[in-house]
Amino acid sequence: MLFEKEIEKVGYLSRSVPEGINLKEAILALKKEKNAIILAHYYVSEDIQSIADFVGDSLALAQASKKASSDIIVFCGVHFMAETAKILNPNTKVILPDLNAGCSLADSAPEDDFRAFKNSYPDAVVVSYINCSSEVKSMSDYICTSSNAIEVVNAIPKDKRIIFAPDKNLGLYVQKVTGRELILWEGACVVHVNISVDKLDALVIKYPSAELIAHPECLPEILDKAKFVGSTKALLDYVQKSPVEQFIVATEAGILYQMKQAVPNKLIIPAPALESNSCACSECPYMKMNTLEKLYNALYYELPEIQVKESTQEGALKALNNMLSI
Ligand code: 13P
Ligand code: SF4
């Protein structure tokens, strides 16, 4: 399999970068020399966000990938995002600093299991959350992100049954908002289900003036209590537009970097994780695999490069374009 072969090749990732080098400056110089663009998700480290050409949520990153005109896209995010960039912009070289940066949601839907699931509902329209493999995308009619899942489901004729995969929590939320009954796949995001409901309740009591806002990948008991539910970008916009001064933010903690820059005078509190850790918040271990060192090496060696199987490219692109056209 392509993916495994690439993993074998990336022994160079452990190679140290030249001594005494200013990594951020060196990355920016390499980027210019190679006519590359750095795209980053809100969940990667602040260091990387601070030097990226564009930082966004899954939808905005897909749109930015499609219109990129550079020779190289360096995708600081996870594998399915870089793969989506390659599907949308097949003639551009797409590299991901660490090929092991996967996603629990994408992993929850293996190709063969998903095909069998889909075949058991032959008349259903398939809507897949963008957090899935190119193989699952190619078996889907529409892709959606957390920004547009409701619009995508609403665009499907009312008489059609809908399979929604792989995130069950997002599916339950879309089902509640749209009133459509969805056939749900049992997948979840390890980061969002790692938020402790009990600790969150205690935090809400401790900060009575704070509003709880949440990403739709969170558990239903959190979404039910949230004042606002939205994608990473929608949460960022909300804290800026709202007159409220304090927020408890139930999502991956990387977004706090952008929120604190956007509203430095407001109090932004990350929702607590189940187990105690250094940040007392929930972090995505896959997104955090992106480091400045790996980014430098990836740009220098132009590896690991993302490839998409010919057999999945066409179907996956069609499903992605069906989303982008809504
Ligand atoms: P959005 O970028 O759509 O908010 O999704 C969050 C996420 O979990 C990405 O992996
Ligand atoms: Fe996947 Fe969750 Fe990490 Fe996003 S935050 S990449 S959904 S594991």
Side-chain angles (χ1 to χ4, degrees):
M1 231 176 77
L2 257 177
F3 189 73
E4 276 156 17
K5 270 204 210 136
E6 284 290 325
I7 286 176
E8 277 168 32
K9 272 204 305 192
V10 296
Y12 73 89
L13 279 175
S14 51
R15 202 181 270 203
S16 51
V17 296
E19 236 173 86
I21 195 174
N22 177 321
L23 267 176
K24 286 191 182 178
E25 281 173 12
I27 290 166
L28 293 175
L30 262 182
K31 188 189 77 153
K32 197 167 169 203
E33 181 191 317
K34 300 201 174 206
N35 188 27
I37 184 174
I38 301 175
L39 303 183
H41 191 273
Y42 292 122
Y43 296 169
V44 299
S45 72
E46 298 184 7
D47 269 344
I48 292 180
Q49 289 191 46
S50 71
I51 55 165
D53 294 288
F54 182 78
V55 184
D57 68 358
S58 306
L59 178 63
L61 286 166
Q63 289 162 334
S65 308
K66 189 177 161 121
K67 66 169 198 240
S69 57
S70 53
D71 293 329
I72 301 175
I73 295 174
V74 191
F75 210 112
C76 296
V78 292
H79 188 268
F80 78 81
M81 294 180 171
E83 197 177 48
T84 300
K86 184 70 187 172
I87 294 165
L88 290 167
N89 200 335
N91 298 322
T92 299
K93 184 182 263 190
V94 177
I95 54 181
L96 177 68
D98 189 332
L99 213 43
N100 292 309
C103 167
S104 66
L105 272 170
D107 291 349
S108 80
E111 178 182 358
D112 291 341
D113 296 355
F114 189 74
R115 185 176 292 105
F117 182 72
K118 173 180 150 109
N119 288 344
S120 52
Y121 303 97
D123 301 327
V125 173
V126 180
V127 178
S128 292
Y129 190 33
I130 199 164
N131 302 34
C132 64
S133 66
S134 64
E135 289 83 2
V136 169
K137 285 187 178 74
S138 73
M139 287 183 251
S140 308
D141 298 293
Y142 292 89
I143 301 303
C144 72
T145 75
S146 57
S147 299
N148 59 19
I150 291 165
E151 285 90 331
V152 170
V153 165
N154 277 335
I156 297 167
K158 292 264 183 295
D159 58 331
K160 292 278 183 198
R161 298 183 80 194
I162 301 173
I163 290 177
F164 190 94
D167 190 5
K168 188 176 177 187
N169 291 326
L170 175 64
L172 287 168
Y173 176 69
V174 172
Q175 187 165 260
K176 189 173 144 189
V177 175
T178 62
R180 298 287 293 268
E181 200 183 321
L182 305 175
I183 305 160
L184 298 172
W185 180 268
E186 292 275 342
C189 162
V190 285
V191 180
H192 289 88
V193 299
N194 186 35
I195 293 171
S196 160
V197 180
D198 291 344
K199 288 186 189 174
L200 191 58
D201 287 345
L203 209 56
V204 168
I205 293 169
K206 187 171 169 195
Y207 293 94
S209 311
E211 258 184 14
L212 172 63
I213 59 174
H215 192 281
E217 289 171 17
C218 289
L219 292 166
E221 46 269 59
I222 294 179
L223 299 182
D224 287 346
K225 293 173 193 166
K227 172 85 178 146
F228 177 75
V229 176
S231 77
T232 322
K233 172 78 168 79
L235 297 176
L236 177 59
D237 289 345
Y238 186 82
V239 299
Q240 293 176 78
K241 286 187 192 137
S242 164
V244 172
E245 295 291 328
Q246 300 184 354
F247 298 92
I248 300 170
V249 182
T251 189
E252 212 272 358
I255 188 64
L256 267 70
Y257 171 63
Q258 298 285 337
M259 287 182 173
K260 285 179 178 165
Q261 280 186 326
V263 285
N265 298 325
K266 294 191 178 183
L267 179 65
I268 309 287
I269 310 159
L274 283 169
E275 71 286 347
S276 298
N277 54 21
S278 57
C279 74
C281 60
S282 201
E283 289 191 304
C284 176
Y286 308 107
M287 292 280 187
K288 295 323 190 237
M289 285 179 180
N290 291 277
T291 62
L292 286 177
E293 286 81 1
K294 290 180 197 169
L295 172 52
Y296 174 84
N297 277 335
L299 252 175
Y300 187 86
Y301 294 98
E302 299 181 22
L303 280 172
E305 187 179 351
I306 299 295
Q307 306 283 1
V308 177
K309 280 194 228 153
E310 256 178 57
S311 55
T312 61
Q313 166 70 24
E314 195 185 335
L317 179 61
K318 194 167 168 227
L320 278 161
N321 280 334
N322 285 345
M323 164 184 85
L324 294 173
S325 66
I326 288 178

